[in-house]
C-alpha cells in the first residue's frame, strides 16, 4: 500500500535540455559553472556526492559547495587554485601546520604524518580555499611554511547543506573584467592530513584506501573568469497567493515570495529572485533575465517565507516546467501549491474514466464485495485525500452490456488556473476501505479552459485478458537433507510471486507444488506445479520458492545465490511455458551447512582505526559483529545510527579474550541449510554503555566486508573462523576475501611420501594424471580435506589438480 508522500517526486529533481541560442539582450552577469564530485563515499560522501559551483560578476568570485546527501563536512575540503604558470608540483614543501586549514592544505599533521599530493598535467596551484564545518577561507601558498590568509567567513556547521565564500578577483591576481582561465581541484582531508579518495572538480588516486600515503591528481577542472557577455531572455513569473492568505498561512505585504529554478545563475537559489506584490493584491510577479539557451526545458517552483513563524513553504513536487523561448515570455499564472482560492478565479472541470474490466478478470477488483475505485491527486484540497466530490469515488452503469459496464467515471470541479499541471493516481478501496494505489509514477494532467476530458485509463496500464499456463519446478534435496523441509510432517512447498492473483501469496493463500514420492533417489525431491498467469504478456514476473511449515512457524523464502538473495524473474510470453528446474537457493549439499553448527568469529583490534581514521580505545569502546549469517541479515548495518544498538542487539557484542589483550571473539548458532559462505563485518561501538552510538558501520564502506567459508565436515557441529584484522576490507580487500578452494602446494619428501596441502571444502577433491593432456584420476578420499600424503611414483612424473564438479 502506498501513501501520497511515497508516490510523489523529489522536489529538487530537474531535467534540462539544451538547444540553439538566439540573442535578445546582453547581461553583465556570468553564468555559474557546476562541478560534480567523483562519487567516492570514503569519508561519507559529503564531497564525492556534492556539487561545487563557481561564479563571478566580473569583479568578485563566489565559491559554493552543495554538500552531498550522504555524509557531513566533519573533515575539510581543500580547493587548490592555479591562476597561471609557476607553482609547486606537489605538496612536499608545504610545512604550514598552524591550524586545521593549514594542516589540511599541507596534507601534514605537523609531526611525522603526511599525505603527499602530486599535481600532474601542468596543474601548479598558487592559492587554496579551505572549507571546514564553521569557517571557509582563502589562502595564499607563497610562504610554504606559513600560509597567508586572504579572506574568510563563518559557516553553518558540518551538517549545513551549503558553504559559500565570495572574494575579490584581484585577491588571486586576476584583473576585473579581463577574461582568464583558472584551474581548480578539490580534495577531502582531515585536519591531521589523513586524505580520503573523495574529490571534486577533478579526481585523485592513492592506492586502495584513504590514509597518510601518496596521492596523485588525475584530473582537474577549468573555470573561465569574466567570460564574454552572453545573451539573456526575459521570463515573467506570476503566482496567486489568495488561498494561502485565506488559510492564514501567508500575510500579504509582509511575507516575501520567491521563485527558484534551473533558469537562475545559481539554480534554485530562491532568495536571489523575489517576486513583487501587484497593486496590493494577492498576486505576486517579477521578471528574470536568464542566460540559458532557447528551447531549454526549465524547472521551477515558488516559495514564501512566513515572518511570524520564521519558516519557508514550497510548492509541492514535482517541479513546474516551461520551455524557454527566444523572446520575452509570460509563464502561466498558477495558485501557490495548486491550492485554488474559494471562490476560485476560474472554474474548470476534469473528467476521469477508467476501464476496470481487466482487474475484475484478474480478481483484483470485486464490485460485488464492495470494492470501490477512486482518484487521489494534487488537484484536491486537501491534496491526495480521496475526497473526490460529490461521493468520493467513481461510478459505473451496471445496466450497460458487455465490458461497458466496467467503465467507471466521474467529474471534478477544478479551481486551478488553466495550464496548471497536477498529479493523480487511481486507487482501489477493497471493501470500500483502505487504499491500493496503482504502481509506478504518478499520472499527470494539465488543466485547460472549461473541461478537460482525460483519456480512458486502465489500472496499472493492464488492458488485456491474458491467460497462460506457467510451470514451476524446484529440487528440494538440500532442505530435506538439512531438516528445513519435512514432507512427512505435512510441510509443503510453494511458489510465490507477482504471477499470482494475490501477489506473493503463501501457505493457504499461496500456490502449492507437489512431488512424486514413489520416484527413485533425488527425483522424488522435485516439486512442481502449473499456475494460470493472467497478467499482461510482456510483463516481467518476480518469484521465489517457499517452504510452508506445518506448524505455526513463518514461511521460509529461498535466498537464490544467482540473484544475491533477490527474486527470480521470468518474462511472460503469449503462450504456455515451463521455467527451468532449479535447486532450492541454487545450492547443492556441498554449498550449505548440513547440521546446526556453532560458528565463532575472532578479530584482532591492535592498531585498529575506523574508516574515518579514529583509533580504537579498548578502555571505552566495544566491538560488534554483523553479517548475513543472522535472520534478518545485517541487522546492525540496517540500523547503523541506532543510539541504543548495544541494548537492541546485545547478542552481537563481542567478548574480550583477556583483560588486557586486543583480540575479541563471539559465537553464533548457524542452522542447517545456511550457506557455507559467510559475509560479515565488524564495528567499533564508541563509548560503550553511554547509549550514544552514531554509526556502528565504521569498519569499511559499503560492500567492504570479510568473506570466509564454514569448512566443517557433514558431522561437525563447531567451526572457528581464523583471526581477522579489523579494517582489512578497506586496507587489503583481496586479503579479506577468503577463496573457496585452492593454494595447492607440495611439501618435502619424507619416508617415501610427499605431502600435498591445499585450502579445501566439501565437494572439492584431488585428481592425478601422468600428463597434462588428459586421463585424470579422481582421488575421492581427499573430498573435503586439505592435505594428503602420496607415495613417490617409481617411474615417470605425476600431476595433481583440485576440482569441484
Amino acid at each position: 500500500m502506498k501513501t501520497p508522500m511515497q508516490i510523489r517526486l523529489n522536489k529538487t529533481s530537474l531535467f534540462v535540455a539544451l538547444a540553439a541560442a538566439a540573442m535578445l539582450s546582453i547581461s553583465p552577469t556570468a553564468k555559474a559553472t557546476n562541478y560534480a564530485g567523483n562519487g567516492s563515499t570514503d569519508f561519507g560522501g559529503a564531497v564525492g556526492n556534492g556539487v561545487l559551483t563557481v561564479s563571478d560578476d566580473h569583479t568578485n568570485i563566489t565559491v559554493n559547495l552543495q554538500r552531498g546527501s550522504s555524509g557531513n563536512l566533519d573533515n575539510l575540503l581543500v580547493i587548490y587554485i592555479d591562476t597561471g604558470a609557476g607553482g609547486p608540483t606537489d605538496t612536499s614543501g608545504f610545512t604550514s601546520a598552524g591550524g586545521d586549514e593549514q594542516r589540511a592544505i599541507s596534507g601534514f599533521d605537523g609531526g611525522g604524518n603526511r599525505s603527499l599530493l602530486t599535481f600532474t598535467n601542468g596543474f601548479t596551484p598558487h592559492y587554496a580555499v579551505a572549507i571546514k564545518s564553521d569557517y571557509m577561507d582563502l589562502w595564499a601558498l607563497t610562504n610554504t611554511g606559513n600560509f597567508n590568509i586572504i579572506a574568510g567567513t563563518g559557516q553553518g556547521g558540518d551538517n549545513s547543506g551549503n558553504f559559500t565564500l565570495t572574494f575579490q578577483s584581484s585577491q588571486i591576481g586576476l584583473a576585473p573584467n579581463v577574461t582568464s582561465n583558472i584551474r581548480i581541484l578539490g580534495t577531502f582531508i582531515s585536519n591531521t592530513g589523513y586524505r580520503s579518495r573523495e574529490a571534486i572538480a577533478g579526481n585523485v588516486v592513492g592506492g586502495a584506501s584513504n590514509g597518510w600515503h601518496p596521492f596523485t591528481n588525475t584530473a582537474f577542472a577549468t573555470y573561465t573568469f569574466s567570460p564574454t557577455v552572453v545573451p539573456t531572455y526575459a521570463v515573467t513569473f506570476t503566482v496567486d497567493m489568495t488561498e494561502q492568505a485565506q488559510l492564514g498561512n501567508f500575510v500579504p505585504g509582509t511575507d516575501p515570495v520567491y521563485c527558484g529554478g534551473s533558469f537562475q545563475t545559481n539554480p534554485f537559489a530562491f532568495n536571489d529572485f523575489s517576486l513583487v506584490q501587484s497593486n496590493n493584491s494577492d498576486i505576486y510577479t517579477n521578471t528574470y533575465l536568464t542566460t540559458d539557451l532557447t528551447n531549454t526545458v526549465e524547472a521551477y517552483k515558488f516559495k514564501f517565507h512566513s515572518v511570524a513563524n520564521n519558516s519557508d513553504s514550497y510548492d509541492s513536487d514535482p517541479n513546474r516546467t516551461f520551455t524557454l523561448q527566444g523572446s520575452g515570455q509570460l509563464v502561466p499564472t498558477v495558485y501557490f501549491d495548486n491550492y485554488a482560492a474559494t471562490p476560485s478565479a476560474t472554474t474548470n472541470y476534469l473528467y476521469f474514466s477508467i476501464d476496470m474490466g481487466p482487474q475484475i478478470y484478474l480478481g483484483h477488483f470485486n464490485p460485488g464485495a464492495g470494492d470501490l475505485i477512486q482518484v487521489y491527486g494534487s488537484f484536491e484540497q486537501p491534496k491526495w485525500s480521496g475526497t473526490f466530490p460529490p461521493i468520493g469515488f467513481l461510478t459505473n452503469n451496471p445496466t450497460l452490456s458487455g465490458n461497458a459496464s466496467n467503465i467507471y467515471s466521474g467529474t471534478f470541479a477544478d479551481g486551478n488556473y488553466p495550464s496548471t499541471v497536477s498529479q493523480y493516481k487511481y486507487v482501489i478501496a477493497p471493501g470500500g476501505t483502505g487504499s491500493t494505489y496503482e504502481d509506478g509514477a504518478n499520472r499527470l494532467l494539465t488543466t485547460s479552459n472549461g473541461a478537460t476530458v482525460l483519456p480512458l485509463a486502465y489500472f496499472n496500464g493492464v488492458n488485456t485478458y491474458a491467460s497462460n499456463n506457467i510451470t514451476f519446478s524446484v529440487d528440494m534435496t538440500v532442505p530435506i537433507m538439512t531438516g528445513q523441509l519435512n514432507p512427512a510432517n505435512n510441510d509443503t512447498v510453494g511458489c510465490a510471486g507477482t504471477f499470482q492473483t494475490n501477489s506473493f501469496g503463501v501457505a493457504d493463500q499461496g500456490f502449492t507444488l507437489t512431488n512424486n514420492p514413489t520416484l527413485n533417489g533425488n527425483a522424488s525431491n522435485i516439486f512442481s506445479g502449473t499456475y494460470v498467469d493472467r497478467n499482461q504478456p510482456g510483463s516481467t514476473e518476480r518469484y521465489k520458492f517457499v517452504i510452508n511449515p506445518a506448524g505455526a512457524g513463518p514461511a521460509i523464502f529461498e535466498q537464490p545465490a544467482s540473484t544475491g538473495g533477490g527474486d527470480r524473474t521470468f518474462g511472460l510470453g503469449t503462450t504456455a511455458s515451463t521455467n527451468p528446474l532449479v535447486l532450492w537457493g541454487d545450492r547443492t549439499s556441498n554449498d550449505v551447512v548440513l547440521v546446526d553448527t556453532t560458528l565463532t568469529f575472532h578479530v584482532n583490534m591492535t592498531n585498529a582505526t575506523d574508516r574515518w581514521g579514529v583509533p580504537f580505545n579498548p578502555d571505552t569502546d566495544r566491538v560488534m559483529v554483523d553479517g548475513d549469517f543472522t535472520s534478518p541479515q545485517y541487522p546492525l548495518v540496517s540500523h547503523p545510527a541506532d543510539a541504543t544498538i548495544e541494548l537492541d542487539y546485545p547478542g552481537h557484542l563481542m567478548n574480550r579474550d583477556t583483560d588486557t589483550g586486543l583480540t575479541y571473539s563471539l559465537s553464533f548458532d548457524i542452522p542447517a541449510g545456511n550457506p557455507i559462505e559467510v559475509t560479515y563485518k565488524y564495528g567499533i561501538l564508541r563509548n560503550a554503555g553511554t547509549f550514544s552510538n552514531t554509526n556502528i558501520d565504521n569498519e569499511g564502506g559499503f560492500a567492504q566486508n570479510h568473506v570466509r567459508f564454514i569448512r566443517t565436515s557433514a558431522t561437525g557441529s563447531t567451526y572457528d573462523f581464523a583471526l581477522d584484522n579489523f579494517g582489512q576490507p578497506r586496507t587489503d580487500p583481496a586479503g579479506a576475501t577468503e577463496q573457496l578452494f585452492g593454494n595447492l602446494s607440495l611439501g618435502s619428501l619424507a619416508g617415501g611420501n610427499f605431502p600435498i596441502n591445499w585450502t579445501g571444502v566439501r565437494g572439492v577433491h584431488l585428481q592425478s594424471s601422468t600428463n597434462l593432456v588428459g586421463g585424470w584420476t579422481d582421488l575421492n578420499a581427499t573430498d573435503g580435506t586439505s592435505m594428503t600424503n602420496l607415495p613417490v611414483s617409481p617411474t615417470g612424473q605425476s600431476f595433481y589438480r583440485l576440482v569441484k564438479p
Side-chain angles (χ1 to χ4, degrees), residues 384-427:
W384 299 98
S385 59
T387 56
F388 192 100
I391 52 179
F393 53 88
L394 307 182
T395 60
N396 69 326
N397 185 346
T399 66
L400 298 178
S401 60
N403 195 53
S405 64
N406 297 324
I407 296 177
Y408 290 72
S409 62
T411 301
F412 181 86
D414 181 10
N416 280 300
Y417 285 96
S419 299
T420 298
V421 177
S422 301
Q423 293 179 291
Y424 69 103
K425 274 192 173 182
Y426 291 99
V427 181

Side-chain angles (χ1 to χ4, degrees), residues 47-390:
V47 168
N49 288 332
V51 176
L52 184 70
T53 301
V54 182
S55 60
D56 70 84
D57 61 4
H58 304 274
T59 300
N60 302 297
I61 296 175
T62 298
V63 178
N64 170 267
L65 172 69
Q66 180 178 320
R67 180 175 58 82
S69 58
S70 63
N72 53 42
L73 212 74
D74 50 1
N75 291 286
L76 291 91
L77 172 60
V78 175
I79 305 167
Y80 294 103
I81 303 174
D82 179 4
T83 57
T89 58
D90 60 42
T91 60
S92 61
F94 291 171
T95 58
S96 181
D100 291 346
E101 295 95 329
Q102 294 99 312
R103 290 194 297 272
I105 296 171
S106 296
F108 174 54
D109 69 353
N113 293 311
R114 177 182 290 276
S115 171
L116 174 68
L117 179 57
T118 299
F119 305 116
T120 61
N121 300 314
F123 183 81
T124 54
H126 310 78
Y127 303 91
V129 171
I131 308 175
K132 64 176 184 176
S133 62
D134 58 350
Y135 210 78
M136 184 172 176
D137 38 30
L138 172 68
W139 298 78
L141 309 183
T142 307
N143 185 347
T144 57
N146 185 17
F147 301 138
N148 296 319
I149 188 169
I150 300 174
T153 186
Q155 302 294 317
D158 57 9
N159 287 314
S160 176
N162 283 274
F163 301 82
T164 301
L165 174 66
T166 299
F167 52 87
Q168 297 175 8
S169 59
S170 60
Q171 291 178 300
I172 59 172
L174 302 180
N177 297 302
V178 176
T179 301
S180 301
N181 287 326
I182 63 177
R183 297 183 287 189
I184 56 177
L185 167 70
T187 175
F188 203 23
I189 190 169
S190 76
N191 60 3
T192 65
Y194 190 93
R195 195 180 307 277
S196 81
R197 291 179 293 184
E198 290 193 45
I200 202 165
N203 201 12
V204 298
V205 296
S209 65
N210 314 312
W212 289 296
H213 54 76
F215 283 74
T216 302
N217 91 283
T218 59
F220 54 79
T222 300
Y223 176 76
T224 301
F225 166 74
S226 189
T228 305
V229 292
V230 295
T232 61
Y233 306 96
V235 184
T236 299
F237 300 85
T238 307
V239 62
D240 190 331
M241 303 296 296
T242 300
E243 182 64 9
Q244 299 300 317
Q246 291 175 349
L247 293 172
N249 300 328
F250 173 76
V251 180
T254 299
D255 295 340
V257 181
Y258 305 92
C259 183
S262 59
F263 61 87
Q264 293 177 279
T265 301
N266 186 10
F268 283 90
F270 289 89
N271 291 1
D272 292 350
F273 181 39
S274 59
L275 305 186
V276 179
Q277 188 178 16
S278 176
N279 297 323
N280 294 318
S281 70
D282 294 331
I283 305 295
Y284 283 72
T285 186
N286 206 350
T287 300
Y288 191 92
L289 296 177
T290 180
T291 59
D292 284 350
L293 301 179
T294 56
N295 296 320
T296 296
V297 178
E298 303 281 15
Y300 72 103
K301 61 176 44 181
F302 298 100
K303 89 162 187 179
F304 70 85
H305 179 77
S306 170
V307 174
N309 299 324
N310 191 28
S311 62
D312 293 329
S313 297
Y314 294 82
D315 273 335
S316 295
D317 300 322
N319 297 322
R320 305 178 189 273
T321 61
F322 69 94
T323 300
L324 183 61
Q325 300 172 3
S327 59
Q329 71 185 101
L330 302 174
V331 177
T333 301
V334 293
Y335 283 107
F336 185 88
D337 203 20
N338 293 358
Y339 270 88
T342 305
S344 61
T346 63
T347 300
N348 305 290
Y349 296 92
L350 306 174
Y351 177 80
F352 298 85
S353 61
I354 183 169
D355 188 338
M356 295 300 293
Q359 299 300 317
I360 294 173
Y361 173 76
L362 290 170
H364 296 162
F365 183 70
N366 185 355
D371 292 355
L372 302 177
I373 180 69
Q374 300 174 276
V375 178
Y376 282 53
S378 61
F379 56 83
E380 299 180 276
Q381 298 184 23
K383 298 177 181 295
W384 299 98
S385 59
T387 56
F388 192 100

Side-chain angles (χ1 to χ4, degrees), residues 654-666:
M654 303 190 73
N655 302 308
R656 194 173 185 180
D657 294 335
T658 65
D659 291 341
T660 58
L662 287 173
T663 61
Y664 293 74
S665 60
L666 186 63

